[in-house]
Amino acid sequence: MNAPIFSLRLLDWYARCGRVLPWRQTTDPYRIWVSEIILQQTRVAQGYDYFLRFVRRFPTVEALARASEDEVMVQWQGLGYYSRARNLHYAARQIVERGAFPSTYDDIRSLKGVGDYTAAAIASLAFGLPCAVVDGNVYRVLSRYFGIDTPIDSTQGKKLFAALAQEMLVASRPADYNQAIMDFGALQCTPKSPSCHACPLADSCQALASGRVGQLPVKGHATRVRDRYFTYVYVRCQGETIVQKRGSGDIWQGLYQVPMHETERPMSLEELRAWLGADGQLTQLCANRLHQLTHQRLHADFYLLEVERKPAIDGEWIKETELGHYAVPRLLEELLARVPSL
Ligand code: SF4
């Protein structure tokens, strides 16, 4: 069993090569919590200054709880993922109401915005509890060292790696061990070009021995879901409307639609007017109707444009009463049902 060698060598490496970071010089759960939330979606280099500014402005959980949401947001400005700041603020008030910072894994995990990883980090770093963290670095190091090709994003993989991480944890030094394995993944066993030639684990690393360093960890085939924004306009002019036939190379090939414009983000009314190039009465019939496809999430806005004269919009003019003869996607069918007296 390689566990003792693996863990002890990691600790030894950490003592020599670990990063010196401001949130490492403390066991204050508040500071550790703030740093972990900042680092969830932010690189250490960028998060460093934000952390220092944040804890200078709100030095205690009580100070954060007393602040207004606007004040918290000002400190967070530029970091992105603002729900993190809102959750921090909310949880600070939860903590103050409870009377003390929670000190068990389950109580920490119950705070708003705190997941498994963050709860294990706070529990181990602040309270010395034997809770192993599992983040991207940990998946990478464990899968390579032990040569495990179970996809890390599968249910089976998550369980397997969580159990292995816990088994490898040096229970007498959980804080050092957790920081050691995360730093090792961030600095030594990196996603691209890991430093295998100068690695203290090289002589027993399964991935290195079998030439699979570049193939591990394995991820499943989960494809990223793409968001698309469709703005549909039903044009009504003296009993007639416009339909367009969808071309090839995209979803719903060959089906019909009313004039539609796709954008990278929701379209403003001004942009819509500019696109239409037509006067007339514009009424919104539906906003941000979500429609889920396998790898796409569609956001649909739907408008009615009533005009006296036919505008120059691409498509074929047909009688409104004939619309039922044209096959339309299910999403549009549902939207068309909102057009008055159709
Ligand atoms: S030998 Fe390479 S792949 Fe194996 S643990 Fe070390 S850095 Fe990672």
PDB file of all heavy atoms in Angstrom, residues 64-86:
ATOM      1  N   LEU A  64     -19.053  42.021   8.757  1.00  0.00           N
ATOM      2  CA  LEU A  64     -19.658  41.686   7.467  1.00  0.00           C
ATOM      3  C   LEU A  64     -21.178  41.612   7.595  1.00  0.00           C
ATOM      4  O   LEU A  64     -21.915  42.097   6.736  1.00  0.00           O
ATOM      5  CB  LEU A  64     -19.094  40.352   6.957  1.00  0.00           C
ATOM      6  CG  LEU A  64     -19.654  39.838   5.633  1.00  0.00           C
ATOM      7  CD1 LEU A  64     -19.457  40.846   4.501  1.00  0.00           C
ATOM      8  CD2 LEU A  64     -19.008  38.502   5.258  1.00  0.00           C
ATOM      9  N   ALA A  65     -21.651  41.025   8.690  1.00  0.00           N
ATOM     10  CA  ALA A  65     -23.093  40.892   8.895  1.00  0.00           C
ATOM     11  C   ALA A  65     -23.770  42.256   9.024  1.00  0.00           C
ATOM     12  O   ALA A  65     -24.900  42.450   8.577  1.00  0.00           O
ATOM     13  CB  ALA A  65     -23.359  40.050  10.139  1.00  0.00           C
ATOM     14  N   ARG A  66     -23.060  43.210   9.622  1.00  0.00           N
ATOM     15  CA  ARG A  66     -23.628  44.553   9.825  1.00  0.00           C
ATOM     16  C   ARG A  66     -23.689  45.368   8.541  1.00  0.00           C
ATOM     17  O   ARG A  66     -24.470  46.299   8.414  1.00  0.00           O
ATOM     18  CB  ARG A  66     -22.770  45.327  10.842  1.00  0.00           C
ATOM     19  CG  ARG A  66     -23.127  45.115  12.292  1.00  0.00           C
ATOM     20  CD  ARG A  66     -22.515  46.215  13.162  1.00  0.00           C
ATOM     21  NE  ARG A  66     -21.085  46.345  12.988  1.00  0.00           N
ATOM     22  CZ  ARG A  66     -20.161  45.650  13.671  1.00  0.00           C
ATOM     23  NH1 ARG A  66     -20.547  44.769  14.573  1.00  0.00           N
ATOM     24  NH2 ARG A  66     -18.872  45.831  13.453  1.00  0.00           N
ATOM     25  N   ALA A  67     -22.842  45.040   7.584  1.00  0.00           N
ATOM     26  CA  ALA A  67     -22.732  45.841   6.355  1.00  0.00           C
ATOM     27  C   ALA A  67     -23.999  45.709   5.519  1.00  0.00           C
ATOM     28  O   ALA A  67     -24.747  44.735   5.637  1.00  0.00           O
ATOM     29  CB  ALA A  67     -21.528  45.363   5.553  1.00  0.00           C
ATOM     30  N   SER A  68     -24.206  46.712   4.669  1.00  0.00           N
ATOM     31  CA  SER A  68     -25.324  46.604   3.723  1.00  0.00           C
ATOM     32  C   SER A  68     -24.853  45.796   2.518  1.00  0.00           C
ATOM     33  O   SER A  68     -23.646  45.643   2.281  1.00  0.00           O
ATOM     34  CB  SER A  68     -25.748  47.999   3.269  1.00  0.00           C
ATOM     35  OG  SER A  68     -24.748  48.547   2.436  1.00  0.00           O
ATOM     36  N   GLU A  69     -25.809  45.287   1.766  1.00  0.00           N
ATOM     37  CA  GLU A  69     -25.437  44.498   0.585  1.00  0.00           C
ATOM     38  C   GLU A  69     -24.644  45.353  -0.408  1.00  0.00           C
ATOM     39  O   GLU A  69     -23.693  44.879  -1.033  1.00  0.00           O
ATOM     40  CB  GLU A  69     -26.677  43.917  -0.081  1.00  0.00           C
ATOM     41  CG  GLU A  69     -26.310  42.955  -1.195  1.00  0.00           C
ATOM     42  CD  GLU A  69     -27.489  42.128  -1.670  1.00  0.00           C
ATOM     43  OE1 GLU A  69     -28.095  41.434  -0.846  1.00  0.00           O
ATOM     44  OE2 GLU A  69     -27.789  42.182  -2.878  1.00  0.00           O
ATOM     45  N   ASP A  70     -25.018  46.622  -0.520  1.00  0.00           N
ATOM     46  CA  ASP A  70     -24.289  47.515  -1.439  1.00  0.00           C
ATOM     47  C   ASP A  70     -22.825  47.630  -1.054  1.00  0.00           C
ATOM     48  O   ASP A  70     -21.943  47.611  -1.917  1.00  0.00           O
ATOM     49  CB  ASP A  70     -24.917  48.917  -1.443  1.00  0.00           C
ATOM     50  CG  ASP A  70     -26.236  48.913  -2.184  1.00  0.00           C
ATOM     51  OD1 ASP A  70     -26.519  47.913  -2.869  1.00  0.00           O
ATOM     52  OD2 ASP A  70     -26.975  49.908  -2.064  1.00  0.00           O
ATOM     53  N   GLU A  71     -22.567  47.751   0.237  1.00  0.00           N
ATOM     54  CA  GLU A  71     -21.165  47.874   0.692  1.00  0.00           C
ATOM     55  C   GLU A  71     -20.368  46.613   0.352  1.00  0.00           C
ATOM     56  O   GLU A  71     -19.208  46.693  -0.062  1.00  0.00           O
ATOM     57  CB  GLU A  71     -21.120  48.095   2.212  1.00  0.00           C
ATOM     58  CG  GLU A  71     -21.579  49.475   2.660  1.00  0.00           C
ATOM     59  CD  GLU A  71     -21.663  49.563   4.183  1.00  0.00           C
ATOM     60  OE1 GLU A  71     -22.436  48.786   4.789  1.00  0.00           O
ATOM     61  OE2 GLU A  71     -20.954  50.389   4.754  1.00  0.00           O
ATOM     62  N   VAL A  72     -21.004  45.456   0.529  1.00  0.00           N
ATOM     63  CA  VAL A  72     -20.320  44.199   0.224  1.00  0.00           C
ATOM     64  C   VAL A  72     -20.037  44.113  -1.276  1.00  0.00           C
ATOM     65  O   VAL A  72     -18.944  43.741  -1.709  1.00  0.00           O
ATOM     66  CB  VAL A  72     -21.169  42.995   0.698  1.00  0.00           C
ATOM     67  CG1 VAL A  72     -20.503  41.681   0.326  1.00  0.00           C
ATOM     68  CG2 VAL A  72     -21.397  43.066   2.197  1.00  0.00           C
ATOM     69  N   MET A  73     -21.034  44.521  -2.062  1.00  0.00           N
ATOM     70  CA  MET A  73     -20.875  44.442  -3.517  1.00  0.00           C
ATOM     71  C   MET A  73     -19.755  45.355  -4.013  1.00  0.00           C
ATOM     72  O   MET A  73     -19.059  45.017  -4.962  1.00  0.00           O
ATOM     73  CB  MET A  73     -22.189  44.800  -4.215  1.00  0.00           C
ATOM     74  CG  MET A  73     -23.229  43.732  -4.064  1.00  0.00           C
ATOM     75  SD  MET A  73     -22.594  42.148  -4.647  1.00  0.00           S
ATOM     76  CE  MET A  73     -23.886  41.058  -4.220  1.00  0.00           C
ATOM     77  N   VAL A  74     -19.608  46.497  -3.379  1.00  0.00           N
ATOM     78  CA  VAL A  74     -18.539  47.419  -3.775  1.00  0.00           C
ATOM     79  C   VAL A  74     -17.182  46.742  -3.587  1.00  0.00           C
ATOM     80  O   VAL A  74     -16.299  46.830  -4.437  1.00  0.00           O
ATOM     81  CB  VAL A  74     -18.620  48.727  -2.956  1.00  0.00           C
ATOM     82  CG1 VAL A  74     -17.339  49.543  -3.079  1.00  0.00           C
ATOM     83  CG2 VAL A  74     -19.809  49.550  -3.420  1.00  0.00           C
ATOM     84  N   GLN A  75     -17.014  46.033  -2.487  1.00  0.00           N
ATOM     85  CA  GLN A  75     -15.742  45.346  -2.243  1.00  0.00           C
ATOM     86  C   GLN A  75     -15.520  44.206  -3.239  1.00  0.00           C
ATOM     87  O   GLN A  75     -14.396  43.839  -3.535  1.00  0.00           O
ATOM     88  CB  GLN A  75     -15.699  44.778  -0.813  1.00  0.00           C
ATOM     89  CG  GLN A  75     -15.733  45.821   0.269  1.00  0.00           C
ATOM     90  CD  GLN A  75     -14.587  46.817   0.133  1.00  0.00           C
ATOM     91  OE1 GLN A  75     -13.446  46.447  -0.084  1.00  0.00           O
ATOM     92  NE2 GLN A  75     -14.900  48.103   0.223  1.00  0.00           N
ATOM     93  N   TRP A  76     -16.608  43.648  -3.710  1.00  0.00           N
ATOM     94  CA  TRP A  76     -16.528  42.489  -4.598  1.00  0.00           C
ATOM     95  C   TRP A  76     -16.401  42.905  -6.066  1.00  0.00           C
ATOM     96  O   TRP A  76     -16.066  42.090  -6.932  1.00  0.00           O
ATOM     97  CB  TRP A  76     -17.787  41.621  -4.419  1.00  0.00           C
ATOM     98  CG  TRP A  76     -17.572  40.181  -4.732  1.00  0.00           C
ATOM     99  CD1 TRP A  76     -17.823  39.550  -5.923  1.00  0.00           C
ATOM    100  CD2 TRP A  76     -17.071  39.166  -3.856  1.00  0.00           C
ATOM    101  NE1 TRP A  76     -17.506  38.220  -5.844  1.00  0.00           N
ATOM    102  CE2 TRP A  76     -17.039  37.957  -4.576  1.00  0.00           C
ATOM    103  CE3 TRP A  76     -16.638  39.154  -2.530  1.00  0.00           C
ATOM    104  CZ2 TRP A  76     -16.599  36.761  -4.018  1.00  0.00           C
ATOM    105  CZ3 TRP A  76     -16.198  37.961  -1.977  1.00  0.00           C
ATOM    106  CH2 TRP A  76     -16.188  36.786  -2.716  1.00  0.00           C
ATOM    107  N   GLN A  77     -16.663  44.157  -6.326  1.00  0.00           N
ATOM    108  CA  GLN A  77     -16.734  44.650  -7.703  1.00  0.00           C
ATOM    109  C   GLN A  77     -15.508  44.223  -8.512  1.00  0.00           C
ATOM    110  O   GLN A  77     -14.374  44.433  -8.081  1.00  0.00           O
ATOM    111  CB  GLN A  77     -16.798  46.172  -7.680  1.00  0.00           C
ATOM    112  CG  GLN A  77     -17.496  46.749  -8.875  1.00  0.00           C
ATOM    113  CD  GLN A  77     -17.787  48.216  -8.653  1.00  0.00           C
ATOM    114  OE1 GLN A  77     -18.309  48.568  -7.607  1.00  0.00           O
ATOM    115  NE2 GLN A  77     -17.448  49.027  -9.614  1.00  0.00           N
ATOM    116  N   GLY A  78     -15.741  43.621  -9.660  1.00  0.00           N
ATOM    117  CA  GLY A  78     -14.640  43.198 -10.517  1.00  0.00           C
ATOM    118  C   GLY A  78     -14.287  41.725 -10.361  1.00  0.00           C
ATOM    119  O   GLY A  78     -13.633  41.148 -11.222  1.00  0.00           O
ATOM    120  N   LEU A  79     -14.739  41.111  -9.275  1.00  0.00           N
ATOM    121  CA  LEU A  79     -14.420  39.686  -9.062  1.00  0.00           C
ATOM    122  C   LEU A  79     -15.367  38.758  -9.815  1.00  0.00           C
ATOM    123  O   LEU A  79     -15.040  37.611 -10.074  1.00  0.00           O
ATOM    124  CB  LEU A  79     -14.503  39.342  -7.566  1.00  0.00           C
ATOM    125  CG  LEU A  79     -13.213  39.323  -6.763  1.00  0.00           C
ATOM    126  CD1 LEU A  79     -13.505  38.935  -5.323  1.00  0.00           C
ATOM    127  CD2 LEU A  79     -12.211  38.334  -7.351  1.00  0.00           C
ATOM    128  N   GLY A  80     -16.550  39.273 -10.155  1.00  0.00           N
ATOM    129  CA  GLY A  80     -17.512  38.436 -10.877  1.00  0.00           C
ATOM    130  C   GLY A  80     -18.210  37.435  -9.959  1.00  0.00           C
ATOM    131  O   GLY A  80     -17.931  37.368  -8.765  1.00  0.00           O
ATOM    132  N   TYR A  81     -19.112  36.677 -10.549  1.00  0.00           N
ATOM    133  CA  TYR A  81     -19.885  35.668  -9.805  1.00  0.00           C
ATOM    134  C   TYR A  81     -20.398  36.270  -8.496  1.00  0.00           C
ATOM    135  O   TYR A  81     -20.023  35.835  -7.398  1.00  0.00           O
ATOM    136  CB  TYR A  81     -19.039  34.422  -9.523  1.00  0.00           C
ATOM    137  CG  TYR A  81     -18.592  33.724 -10.779  1.00  0.00           C
ATOM    138  CD1 TYR A  81     -17.338  33.957 -11.315  1.00  0.00           C
ATOM    139  CD2 TYR A  81     -19.449  32.844 -11.443  1.00  0.00           C
ATOM    140  CE1 TYR A  81     -16.934  33.316 -12.481  1.00  0.00           C
ATOM    141  CE2 TYR A  81     -19.048  32.208 -12.599  1.00  0.00           C
ATOM    142  CZ  TYR A  81     -17.785  32.453 -13.106  1.00  0.00           C
ATOM    143  OH  TYR A  81     -17.381  31.828 -14.246  1.00  0.00           O
ATOM    144  N   TYR A  82     -21.237  37.277  -8.653  1.00  0.00           N
ATOM    145  CA  TYR A  82     -21.659  38.070  -7.501  1.00  0.00           C
ATOM    146  C   TYR A  82     -22.533  37.306  -6.509  1.00  0.00           C
ATOM    147  O   TYR A  82     -22.698  37.729  -5.373  1.00  0.00           O
ATOM    148  CB  TYR A  82     -22.350  39.356  -7.963  1.00  0.00           C
ATOM    149  CG  TYR A  82     -21.349  40.290  -8.602  1.00  0.00           C
ATOM    150  CD1 TYR A  82     -21.074  40.227  -9.959  1.00  0.00           C
ATOM    151  CD2 TYR A  82     -20.624  41.184  -7.825  1.00  0.00           C
ATOM    152  CE1 TYR A  82     -20.110  41.045 -10.543  1.00  0.00           C
ATOM    153  CE2 TYR A  82     -19.664  42.001  -8.389  1.00  0.00           C
ATOM    154  CZ  TYR A  82     -19.414  41.928  -9.746  1.00  0.00           C
ATOM    155  OH  TYR A  82     -18.448  42.715 -10.297  1.00  0.00           O
ATOM    156  N   SER A  83     -23.059  36.169  -6.937  1.00  0.00           N
ATOM    157  CA  SER A  83     -23.845  35.388  -5.974  1.00  0.00           C
ATOM    158  C   SER A  83     -22.945  34.934  -4.818  1.00  0.00           C
ATOM    159  O   SER A  83     -23.412  34.724  -3.703  1.00  0.00           O
ATOM    160  CB  SER A  83     -24.492  34.179  -6.647  1.00  0.00           C
ATOM    161  OG  SER A  83     -23.496  33.354  -7.189  1.00  0.00           O
ATOM    162  N   ARG A  84     -21.641  34.812  -5.092  1.00  0.00           N
ATOM    163  CA  ARG A  84     -20.723  34.437  -4.005  1.00  0.00           C
ATOM    164  C   ARG A  84     -20.759  35.479  -2.884  1.00  0.00           C
ATOM    165  O   ARG A  84     -20.773  35.151  -1.709  1.00  0.00           O
ATOM    166  CB  ARG A  84     -19.284  34.344  -4.528  1.00  0.00           C
ATOM    167  CG  ARG A  84     -19.037  33.177  -5.429  1.00  0.00           C
ATOM    168  CD  ARG A  84     -17.579  33.120  -5.832  1.00  0.00           C
ATOM    169  NE  ARG A  84     -17.149  34.244  -6.645  1.00  0.00           N
ATOM    170  CZ  ARG A  84     -15.890  34.495  -6.986  1.00  0.00           C
ATOM    171  NH1 ARG A  84     -14.928  33.714  -6.547  1.00  0.00           N
ATOM    172  NH2 ARG A  84     -15.579  35.522  -7.749  1.00  0.00           N
ATOM    173  N   ALA A  85     -20.735  36.750  -3.293  1.00  0.00           N
ATOM    174  CA  ALA A  85     -20.731  37.828  -2.297  1.00  0.00           C
ATOM    175  C   ALA A  85     -22.066  37.884  -1.559  1.00  0.00           C
ATOM    176  O   ALA A  85     -22.107  38.073  -0.340  1.00  0.00           O
ATOM    177  CB  ALA A  85     -20.449  39.155  -2.984  1.00  0.00           C
ATOM    178  N   ARG A  86     -23.142  37.720  -2.296  1.00  0.00           N
ATOM    179  CA  ARG A  86     -24.461  37.752  -1.648  1.00  0.00           C
ATOM    180  C   ARG A  86     -24.593  36.607  -0.644  1.00  0.00           C
ATOM    181  O   ARG A  86     -25.110  36.783   0.455  1.00  0.00           O
ATOM    182  CB  ARG A  86     -25.567  37.678  -2.703  1.00  0.00           C
ATOM    183  CG  ARG A  86     -25.916  39.035  -3.305  1.00  0.00           C
ATOM    184  CD  ARG A  86     -27.183  38.956  -4.135  1.00  0.00           C
ATOM    185  NE  ARG A  86     -26.976  38.126  -5.308  1.00  0.00           N
ATOM    186  CZ  ARG A  86     -26.468  38.579  -6.448  1.00  0.00           C
ATOM    187  NH1 ARG A  86     -26.152  39.843  -6.580  1.00  0.00           N
ATOM    188  NH2 ARG A  86     -26.292  37.784  -7.484  1.00  0.00           N
TER     189      ARG A  86
END
